[in-house]
């Protein structure tokens, strides 16, 4: 009997072990947890992981999950802090600041997850090289230079993913791999690139993010590479990412790109074949959200298995990678075990984040010209603020919707006691009313002591699916500038561009020019601080600015050596790479090298002194370039290999040391398929821009191989002692009060009402939807303000007898959920009738008449 009981106990023990929920055990090894959960999923449940919307698994207690989030320079959502656009962050030349910004962004992402509002699968950063400023998404990337791009991007990854040894704060998805720099027709476009350019120019930033910083994911581009679609490119994904670099994270195809293998690229013969191609190439998932349909890849995978194109074991490889990330974010663990579950909802657009957004905006501003007219005098009597971007806080594409937005006009009004007047001047694009608006601007400029002219380009000329046709200012903006300049010479030109802009006439005729960029929600305050001298500008251009379109090669030419970027451009630029002025002067001297000869795998230390010879404290960016004096390869005229932004008090001198690892001297050998250093003499050039070189030193470098590295190993530029690798999520807060907003919840006593609207996913990315407010009556020049979820959208003046007011509603990616649009009467009296919603893509408009809430 006793023996029988032992058998029963053993049997029960074995049964319990067999049925054990290893995947729920936070102390079990990660791989064991992943394998256990994978074994419990049905084929259909596994397949569902290959799209953005993943259905719940009731029997396992796993809720619905959305693998989709945008965090380019702030979370796309309501009341999320919006930092300077990526091109602006690149112009700070400050990786440490990028870490702080990314920490704030990821904290807000976690706060939203902690409240059940969003997941933390983020499609960022964008590290496509800014090889041509006409690219519609040029503003999304940090630089035209692979080294500057890498150093800024690495700290974005570090800040977003956090430093906890077990849990990942947010999942980063580096995009768009690879060489997707033409947006119009990108779904059918192929980038033809030689191997040398790929490894030396297009690959480095991806490799830095994946190998050095161990980014969790990567997105393949909608384009093709050398005749093969990126989302089915076995060599680019399995060959380079997984085999060469040892990448074990997930790979997602851009929007419906797997479907596009058949439908647009004509590369596959059917959808099952397209899905099989993606899985075999190492692509795990297809980006696609729709309220009614799963991703095309999801629909095609079961037929692909049934037809024998792939096996369930092939699918398991991809699903295992996707499940692994959910464990890494802590999805299946008690929140008390995860330090990021402690991030409170109060951090959303909190005081510390807005202060950081202001600091970033100030550091991003680049002073392009100053004929001793800046900073502005505090006793200026009258100020005319003119231009299509003057009364608008344009933050760039892929922006969220903060509660607070400071336009240039807002910032200048708060900064001065002068009489500040405003005129739009013209539209961004040519408009029938432009001549009238220009005349109004000219009249205002005539009677004003000083003019601030704010111009640029926005999503109407440069965005996803829309490339710039020219580097010139669009519409009648140049005409506006010339007209105003004819009546008032006291002009400061402020640019809000998506990238390098051809302003040759303006450089010659306007006394001061400032590049502000799409500079986040605090841009107006930052601009005012710079213009009035409370902040000394120290930003530097992260791309070459050309004089005209004629300086650029063919848009579809991906050969970097055909005159692209400062590295190969032989003409005279309007403003060189790395350029930026200051209100003070700096002298760089006493440049020294740690050695006269560099042996294989040795570092070279470059040191220099930086003296502020002026009377104002300021920042300088010390830049180190190298040039191979005599090479058998075609090498750059010069190439950035080190930099440091440094603050120097007036009259003081500081020293700086910059490390150049052995790999800084390498080129990619296409015969041996590895990086090599060709022995010889290299020039080390130290200066304040690519053309302003203070001193040049020579060093002999011994030839040799640069060892290939994979995930788990590090490049020579990786700094394990960097303090950013030790910081916790709350490192950016001086105290707990900074994690709250001192401005939220303030009532102003104005009348308001709310409409409830459900927006349906149009199936493609749009920034805004068109709408129309309808009134039964309104007093002359009544003013209404619109907002959603507490985030202000815009303010509008209702003209005489106007009963229809066209507006635009910014849409975060939360389709299918009812949201409320608040309309507040700021001035006058308004009687509302309805709101007409006009969906994009030619879909039928609908009208909402019901008021769901209103002020008492």
């Amino acid at each position: 009997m006793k023996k029988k009981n032992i058998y029963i106990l053993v049997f029960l023990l074995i049964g319990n072990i067999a049925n054990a929920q290893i995947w729920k055990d936070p102390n079990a090894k990660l791989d064991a947890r992943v394998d256990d959960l994978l074994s419990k999923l049905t084929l259909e449940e596994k397949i569902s992981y290959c799209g953005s919307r993943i259905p719940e698994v009731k029997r396992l207690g796993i809720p619905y999950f959305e693998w989709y989030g945008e965090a380019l320079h702030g979370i796309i959502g309501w009341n999320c802090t919006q930092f300077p656009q990526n091109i602006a962050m690149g112009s700070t030349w400050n990786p440490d600041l990028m870490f702080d910004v990314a920490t704030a962004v990821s904290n807000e992402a976690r706060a939203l997850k902690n409240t059940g509002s969003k997941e933390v699968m983020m499609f960022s950063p964008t590290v496509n090289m800014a090889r041509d400023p006409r690219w519609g998404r040029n503003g999304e990337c940090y630089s035209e230079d692979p080294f500057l791009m890498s150093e800024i991007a690495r700290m974005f990854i570090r800040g977003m993913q956090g430093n906890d040894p077990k849990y990942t704060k947010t999942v980063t998805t580096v995009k768009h791999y690879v060489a997707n720099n033409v947006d119009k027709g990108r779904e059918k476009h192929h980038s033809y690139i030689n191997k040398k350019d790929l490894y030396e120019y297009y690959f480095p930033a991806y490799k830095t993010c994946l190998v050095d910083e161990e980014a969790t994911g990567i997105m393949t581009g909608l384009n093709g590479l050398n005749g093969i679609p990126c989302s089915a490119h076995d060599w680019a994904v399995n060959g380079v990412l997984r085999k060469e670099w040892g990448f074990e994270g997930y790979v997602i195809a851009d929007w419906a790109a797997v479907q596009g293998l058949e439908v647009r690229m004509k590369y596959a013969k059917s959808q099952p074949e397209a899905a099989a191609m993606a899985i075999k190439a190492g692509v795990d998932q297809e980006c696609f959200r729709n309220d009614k349909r799963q991703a095309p890849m999801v629909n095609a995978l079961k037929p692909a298995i049934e037809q024998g194109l792939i096996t369930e074991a092939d699918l398991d490889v991809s699903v295992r990678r996707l499940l692994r990330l959910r464990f890494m974010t802590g999805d299946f663990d008690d929140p008390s075990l995860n330090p990021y579950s402690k991030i409170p909802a109060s951090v959303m657009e909190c005081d510390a984040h807005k202060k950081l957004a202001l600091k970033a905006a100030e550091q991003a501003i680049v002073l392009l010209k100053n004929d001793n007219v800046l900073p502005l005098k505090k006793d200026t009597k009258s100020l005319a603020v003119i231009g299509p971007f003057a009364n608008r806080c344009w933050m760039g594409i892929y922006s969220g919707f903060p509660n607070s937005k400071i336009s240039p006009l807002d910032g200048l009004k708060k900064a001065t006691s002068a009489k500040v007047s405003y005129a739009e001047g013209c539209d961004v694009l040519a408009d029938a009313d432009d001549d009238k608006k220009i005349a109004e601007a000219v009249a205002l400029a005539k009677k004003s002591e000083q003019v601030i002219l704010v111009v640029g380009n926005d999503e109407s000329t440069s965005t996803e699916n829309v490339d710039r046709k020219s580097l010139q200012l669009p519409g009648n903006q140049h005409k506006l500038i010339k007209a105003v300049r004819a009546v008032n010479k006291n002009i400061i030109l402020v640019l809000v561009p998506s990238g390098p802009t051809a302003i040759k006439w303006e450089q010659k005729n306007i006394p001061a020019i400032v590049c502000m960029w799409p500079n986040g929600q605090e841009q107006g305050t930052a601009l005012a601080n710079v213009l009035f001298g409370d902040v000394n500008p120290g930003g530097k251009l992260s791309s070459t600015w050309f004089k005209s379109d004629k300086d650029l090669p063919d848009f579809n030419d991906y050969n970097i050596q055909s005159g692209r970027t400062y590295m190969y451009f032989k003409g005279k630029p309007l403003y060189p790479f790395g350029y930026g002025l200051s209100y003070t002067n700096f002298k760089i001297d006493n440049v020294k090298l740690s050695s006269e000869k560099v042996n294989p795998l040795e570092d070279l230390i470059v040191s220099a002194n930086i003296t502020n010879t002026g009377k104002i404290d300021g920042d300088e960016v010390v830049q180190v370039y190298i040039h191979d004096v005599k090479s058998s390869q075609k090498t750059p005229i010069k190439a950035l290999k080190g930099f440091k932004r440094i603050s120097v008090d007036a009259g003081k001198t500081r020293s700086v040391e910059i490390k150049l690892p052995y790999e800084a001297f390498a080129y990619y050998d296409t015969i041996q398929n590895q990086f090599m250093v060709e022995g010889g003499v290299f020039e080390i050039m130290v200066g304040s821009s690519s053309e302003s070189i203070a001193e040049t030193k020579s060093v002999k470098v011994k030839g040799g191989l640069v060892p290939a590295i994979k995930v788990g190993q590090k490049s020579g530029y990786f700094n394990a002692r960097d303090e950013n690798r030790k910081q916790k999520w709350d490192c950016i807060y001086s105290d707990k009060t900074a994690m709250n907003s001192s401005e939220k919840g303030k009532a102003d006593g104005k009348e308001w009402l709310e409409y409830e609207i459900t927006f349906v996913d149009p199936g493609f990315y749009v920034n805004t939807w068109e709408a129309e407010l309808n009134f039964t009556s309104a007093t002359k020049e009544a003013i209404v303000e619109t907002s959603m979820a507490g985030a202000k959208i815009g303010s509008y003046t209702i003209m005489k007898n106007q009963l229809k007011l066209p507006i635009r509603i910014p849409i975060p990616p939360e389709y299918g959920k009812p949201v409320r649009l608040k309309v507040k009467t700021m001035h006058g009296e308004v009687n509302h009738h309805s709101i007409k919603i006009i969906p994009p893509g030619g879909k039928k408009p609908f009208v909402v008449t019901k008021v769901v809430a209103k002020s008492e």
Side-chain angles (χ1 to χ4, degrees):
M1 187 72 179
K2 192 173 183 181
K3 192 172 184 180
K4 183 179 179 181
N5 288 339
I6 292 173
Y7 283 141
I8 292 172
L9 287 172
V10 171
F11 176 78
L12 291 174
L13 181 61
I14 292 172
N16 286 336
I17 292 173
N19 294 312
Q21 301 290 305
I22 298 173
W23 70 278
K24 290 185 177 181
D25 182 3
N27 296 314
K29 290 184 178 180
L30 178 58
D31 287 339
R33 299 182 72 187
V34 172
D35 287 340
D36 183 50
L37 180 54
L38 181 67
S39 71
K40 291 175 167 55
L41 297 177
T42 66
L43 175 60
E44 289 74 14
E45 289 164 351
K46 293 175 187 177
I47 289 173
S48 71
Y49 263 84
C50 297
S52 296
R53 288 184 162 165
I54 302 166
E56 67 175 332
V57 183
K58 286 185 179 180
R59 60 190 179 78
L60 297 177
I62 300 175
Y64 165 86
F65 184 85
E66 186 165 291
W67 196 301
Y68 194 108
E70 301 286 359
L72 187 68
H73 56 111
I75 304 298
I76 294 190
W78 302 109
N79 301 296
C80 299
T81 313
Q82 297 303 296
F83 295 90
Q85 181 61 284
N86 286 16
I87 193 171
M89 286 305 302
S91 298
T92 68
W93 290 62
N94 191 341
D96 291 334
L97 179 61
M98 184 75 264
F99 171 83
D100 290 345
V101 167
T103 297
V105 173
S106 55
N107 284 356
E108 293 195 4
R110 267 289 167 172
L112 289 170
K113 181 176 176 64
N114 293 341
T115 59
S117 302
K118 283 182 180 290
E119 294 298 340
V120 290
M121 299 337 200
M122 297 300 162
F123 298 155
S124 55
T126 298
V127 299
N128 297 76
M129 298 306 303
R131 60 153 196 128
D132 193 304
R134 292 168 295 192
W135 179 39
R137 303 180 73 172
N138 188 81
E140 290 187 40
C141 49
Y142 302 113
S143 177
E144 72 176 16
D145 178 79
F147 179 69
L148 178 57
M149 174 77 86
S150 296
E151 294 306 293
I152 299 293
R154 78 157 72 237
M155 282 302 145
F156 181 90
I157 299 292
R158 187 60 21 232
M160 289 294 288
Q161 294 188 179
N163 293 316
D164 188 79
K166 183 174 182 179
Y167 294 107
T168 297
K169 189 171 21 165
T170 68
V171 169
T172 57
T173 309
V174 188
K175 61 183 188 180
H176 309 80
Y177 183 76
V178 59
N180 178 190
N181 291 115
V182 172
D183 237 65
K184 186 177 181 181
R186 58 190 176 165
E187 298 88 353
K188 300 178 181 179
H189 178 80
H190 280 274
S191 308
Y192 290 94
I193 309 170
N194 63 65
K195 207 168 185 180
K196 182 177 176 65
D197 279 352
L198 278 173
Y199 276 89
E200 293 182 1
Y201 186 74
Y202 293 101
F203 279 172
Y206 293 100
K207 187 176 182 180
T208 295
C209 291
L210 298 180
V211 177
D212 269 3
E213 302 305 326
E214 300 184 28
T216 45
I218 190 167
M219 177 184 284
T220 53
L222 287 163
N223 62 305
L225 173 66
N226 296 335
I228 302 173
C230 289
S231 296
H233 212 301
D234 182 67
W235 175 78
V237 180
N238 280 332
V240 177
L241 296 184
R242 301 209 185 278
K243 186 177 179 181
E244 285 188 37
W245 299 351
F247 176 61
E248 297 179 350
Y250 92 107
V251 177
I252 183 171
D254 203 348
W255 188 272
V258 176
Q259 178 193 57
L261 297 178
E262 177 206 6
V263 177
R264 292 173 288 279
M265 286 286 189
K266 309 300 181 185
Y267 191 75
K269 296 177 182 177
S270 67
Q271 284 300 293
E273 185 181 31
M277 282 179 170
I279 291 292
K280 286 181 177 180
V283 176
D284 309 310
Q285 194 177 58
E286 181 180 42
C287 176
F288 187 87
R289 292 181 317 147
N290 187 283
D291 292 336
K292 299 177 181 178
R293 293 182 291 127
Q294 278 279 28
M297 182 178 182
V298 170
N299 294 327
L301 277 170
K302 190 172 183 181
I305 293 173
E306 292 171 345
Q307 294 172 25
L309 300 174
I310 55 169
T311 66
E312 186 171 352
D314 294 328
L315 175 66
D316 286 350
V317 174
S318 285
V319 178
R320 186 176 284 108
R321 286 191 283 250
L322 298 167
L323 289 175
R324 183 183 181 88
L325 287 172
R326 291 199 66 180
F327 282 104
M328 289 171 65
T329 60
D331 272 3
F332 303 125
D333 293 351
D334 187 321
S336 64
L337 301 174
N338 189 334
Y340 305 124
S341 67
K342 300 177 178 64
I343 300 177
S346 64
V347 302
M348 305 302 299
E349 208 176 343
C350 65
D351 290 345
H353 291 185
K354 287 194 286 188
K355 184 178 179 181
L356 182 59
L358 175 60
K359 178 181 178 181
E362 290 170 345
Q363 290 203 14
I365 290 175
V366 182
L367 180 60
L368 297 175
K369 182 181 179 181
N370 185 19
D371 286 347
N372 298 316
V373 296
L374 286 173
L376 285 174
K377 296 178 181 178
K378 297 280 187 178
D379 60 356
T380 300
K381 296 294 189 294
S382 59
L383 199 62
V385 185
I386 297 171
F389 291 86
N391 193 26
R392 177 186 182 193
C393 186
W394 170 239
M395 298 179 291
I397 59 178
Y398 277 94
S399 293
F401 316 107
N403 180 54
S404 170
K405 292 187 292 185
I406 311 297
S407 70
L409 180 62
D410 294 332
L412 290 165
K413 280 183 175 179
K414 292 178 182 178
T416 179
S417 59
K419 179 184 177 182
V420 178
S421 303
Y422 161 71
E424 185 181 10
C426 67
D427 203 346
V428 178
L429 297 179
D431 185 81
D433 291 335
D434 279 352
D435 286 343
K436 179 182 175 182
K437 291 177 181 178
I438 290 174
E440 292 171 351
V442 168
L444 181 60
K446 279 182 180 179
K447 59 184 182 182
S448 300
E449 181 182 349
Q450 181 71 51
V451 176
I452 309 295
L453 201 48
V454 193
V455 299
N457 69 291
D458 60 10
E459 80 276 23
S460 61
T461 61
S462 181
T463 186
E464 192 163 358
N465 287 309
V466 179
D467 295 308
R468 290 168 77 184
K469 292 181 173 62
S470 171
L471 300 186
Q472 300 288 329
L473 287 166
N476 289 310
Q477 293 182 84
H478 178 67
K479 182 179 179 180
L480 168 67
I481 295 168
K482 295 186 78 171
V484 172
R485 170 65 175 77
V487 300
N488 192 330
K489 295 181 180 181
N490 298 322
I491 296 179
I492 297 166
L493 183 66
V494 178
L495 298 168
V496 186
S498 65
T501 304
I503 50 168
K504 185 177 179 181
W505 185 93
E506 287 79 1
Q507 168 62 21
K508 183 178 179 180
N509 293 281
I510 304 297
I513 305 175
V514 171
C515 182
M516 182 178 74
W517 309 112
N519 217 7
Q521 69 184 75
E522 297 293 324
Q523 61 184 261
T525 303
L527 177 65
N529 288 346
V530 166
L531 294 185
F532 284 104
D534 297 317
V535 169
N536 189 355
K540 302 280 187 175
L541 295 179
S542 61
S543 292
T544 305
W545 282 44
F546 301 97
K547 292 179 180 178
S548 78
D549 300 331
K550 295 178 182 179
D551 291 329
L552 293 170
D554 183 271
F555 188 34
N556 293 311
D557 180 5
Y558 276 81
N559 181 1
I560 196 67
Q561 299 173 36
S562 63
R564 290 201 178 279
T565 79
Y566 76 97
M567 293 188 288
Y568 292 99
F569 180 61
K570 295 181 179 179
K572 181 70 175 175
L574 182 66
Y575 307 116
F577 173 81
Y579 171 85
L581 302 176
S582 170
Y583 293 155
T584 189
N585 295 303
F586 295 97
K587 181 177 72 172
I588 299 175
D589 62 4
N590 197 30
V591 173
K592 294 180 180 179
L593 307 182
S594 60
S595 176
E596 295 180 354
K597 184 177 182 180
V598 178
N599 291 315
L601 304 185
E602 287 183 348
D603 297 332
L604 178 70
I605 306 300
V606 181
S607 62
N609 289 342
I610 304 91
T611 302
N612 185 337
T613 60
K615 298 180 180 180
I616 304 174
D617 299 347
D619 287 7
E620 178 62 290
V621 178
V622 181
Q623 303 165 39
V624 179
Y625 298 85
I626 71 166
H627 171 63
D628 192 341
V629 175
K630 186 178 181 180
S631 173
S632 61
Q633 302 282 316
K634 185 171 184 178
T635 58
I637 299 167
K638 58 175 69 75
L640 181 74
K641 297 296 179 180
F643 65 89
K644 188 172 183 62
R645 182 166 180 151
I646 186 168
S647 298
V648 187
D649 293 342
K652 301 294 183 180
T653 298
R654 290 187 62 184
S655 60
V656 64
E657 287 189 349
I658 295 173
K659 182 183 82 169
L660 300 186
Y662 184 66
E663 66 198 59
F665 304 95
Y667 71 94
Y668 188 78
D669 189 303
T670 56
I671 297 176
Q672 299 192 51
N673 291 321
Q674 58 185 325
F675 279 96
M676 302 181 66
V677 174
E678 184 176 19
V681 176
F682 286 79
E683 291 180 332
I684 309 297
M685 297 170 277
V686 182
S688 57
S689 82
S690 59
E691 287 200 349
S692 180
I693 302 300
E695 289 190 22
T696 300
K697 300 289 183 181
S698 294
V699 63
K700 291 183 179 179
V701 181
K702 189 174 181 179
L705 298 177
V706 176
I709 59 170
K710 292 185 175 184
V711 173
Q713 302 167 308
K714 302 299 177 185
S715 75
Y717 279 106
F718 183 86
N719 181 6
R721 293 176 293 179
D722 191 323
E723 286 299 314
N724 293 334
R725 305 188 185 285
K726 303 174 185 177
Q727 304 279 18
K728 296 183 178 180
W729 69 265
D730 58 356
C731 64
I732 59 175
Y733 308 107
S734 56
D735 53 52
K736 288 186 177 180
T737 61
M739 296 166 63
N740 294 277
S741 173
S742 57
E743 296 183 1
K744 288 180 180 177
K746 290 184 178 180
D748 57 11
K750 304 290 186 180
E751 289 188 359
W752 56 268
L753 57 78
E754 287 182 334
Y755 295 108
E756 189 168 86
I757 309 162
T758 300
F759 295 91
V760 179
D761 194 338
F764 52 89
Y765 170 74
V766 287
N767 266 358
T768 58
W769 279 38
E770 302 293 332
E772 182 181 271
L773 290 174
N774 297 303
F775 316 110
T776 55
S777 65
T779 56
K780 183 181 179 182
E781 296 188 350
I783 299 173
V784 295
E785 178 184 284
T786 57
S787 63
M788 269 190 177
K792 178 182 174 182
I793 297 173
S795 182
Y796 316 88
T797 300
I798 303 171
M799 306 311 292
K800 184 179 180 181
N801 299 323
Q802 184 180 8
L803 298 180
K804 295 181 179 181
L805 179 67
I807 65 170
R808 285 183 174 181
I809 302 175
I811 304 297
E814 294 169 341
Y815 294 114
K817 299 178 182 178
V819 291
R820 292 187 176 188
L821 177 78
K822 177 180 282 189
V823 187
K824 185 186 294 185
T825 303
M826 307 301 293
H827 175 74
E829 295 182 7
V830 179
N831 292 313
H832 295 266
H833 178 268
S834 61
I835 181 170
K836 181 180 180 181
I837 306 299
I838 307 168
K843 295 184 179 180
K844 187 177 179 180
F846 60 92
V847 176
V848 179
T849 57
K850 183 180 178 180
V851 174
V852 293
K854 61 181 179 179
S855 55
E856 297 179 358

